Amino acid sequence: MRVCLVYDCLFPHTVGGAERWYRNLAERLAEAGHDVTYLTLTQWAAGEEPGVDGVRVVSVGPRMELYAAAGRRRITPPLRFGLGVLGHLLAHGRDYDVVHTASFPYFSLLAAGLLVPLGRYRLVVDWHEVWSRGYWREYLGPVAGAVGYAVQRVCARIPQEAFCFSELHAGRLGREGLAGAVTVLRGEYTGSLQTPEVRDPAEPVAVFAGRLIPEKRAPLAVAAMAAAARRVPGLRGVVYGDGPDREEAARAAGAADGVVTLAGFVDSAVIDVALRDALCLVVTSRREGYGMVVVEAAARATPSVVVAGADNAATELVDDGVNGLIVREDDAEAVAEAIERVHRAGRALRASTAAWFEAHAESLSLASSLERVLEVYAGAPAGSPPAPAPTAPSPPRSSPRA
């Protein structure tokens, strides 16, 4: 099958949940014998290779700064990317059986949807998040927010096969006017599915891992770790990641008398060890489309403390009291109390977290989602029950030109 994946970012040149999803999806499809092209913006230095084995990476736009200083997405790169996708699919749309795109940043979806009659490909769309009208207004202001919300609604009504990664956003997508059903994909995890060893941490360490952008609320995590240290003797906090909120997080860490460390971006192997050895993971995000880091923590028998919110789908990955705790208030003392409860629960909570992962590992795996993706590629409508066996990949056909 000839598949074109469309996203303006490429892991590891940019880091995020969607970037990991498309990189993993591209590599797995290629390994299965499919002919895969990945359309993106240039994010690598001149003379370098994008570095995705077996996948044709096509840049349809120049290297651009995606985010403004405040951590908000800039408008010019999505417009430029949308034009690049339009030009590529005008020239090569019929070279693909499937065009599989992220809904965001929308203009690429509009381009792909417009050219379906000409390209005659199957259009598959991932909706990692569906923003409410109120969130659009908060994010961009009353005028630009109204425009953004209207564009999102238009994109939802383009004929497509739709995937979401949480019930929260699947429900919102249906209310935005999606014609037809949506499939919820539960699996994005690529690590070991073995039941994790239950270990006692050498010392109590609370870990935060994510981009330091306003939505992740790293300063709240720092304040909560500092408050928890007053409750749990010897507790430390470590924040992994970087971004526009680093300065504010550093101020909060400075007020914590050395209890919390900002470690910046580190190699994934460092994160693996940190999660394995942590007392708990702390997720203070107000907005999550999935929450992969919760799964990664559970795969190491480490419970998560997750702050609930109207836009936070990560709570769907936590059975309260089983593989972590859900905090109903976005308050540092409330999060600190939850961290203390994890400490008091000790080995019993780590054991139940390991059991939770064992029970859900198969459905949380990327392989389970890939099976469903291939079924939709082959013609099964979104929302229909999965087939009893995976669809076998068809042999690769003629390759499109770059």
Side-chain angles (χ1 to χ4, degrees), residues 15 44 65 94 111 125 157 170 271 273 293 306 331 348 388 390-391:
V15 178
W44 48 92
E65 191 64 44
R94 292 200 181 186
V125 183
R157 299 177 185 214
I271 298 292
V273 173
V293 71
V306 179
D331 172 77
T391 303

Side-chain angles (χ1 to χ4, degrees), residues 140-217:
L140 293 178
V143 177
V147 173
Y149 179 67
V151 171
Q152 177 181 269
R153 284 180 64 86
V154 169
C155 287
R157 299 177 185 214
I158 293 172
Q160 62 192 264
E161 302 292 339
F163 290 131
C164 284
F165 299 85
S166 68
E167 295 293 344
L168 169 66
H169 294 293
R172 285 184 178 178
L173 184 58
R175 292 190 292 274
E176 291 303 314
L178 179 74
V182 58
T183 295
V184 176
L185 299 176
R186 292 294 186 186
E188 294 191 40
Y189 183 64
T190 59
S192 171
L193 302 184
Q194 293 183 344
T195 303
E197 177 187 0
V198 179
R199 300 160 52 102
D200 294 321
E203 56 181 323
V205 178
V207 167
F208 171 100
R211 290 189 68 241
L212 305 190
I213 56 177
E215 291 78 9
K216 300 289 186 182
R217 297 194 294 194

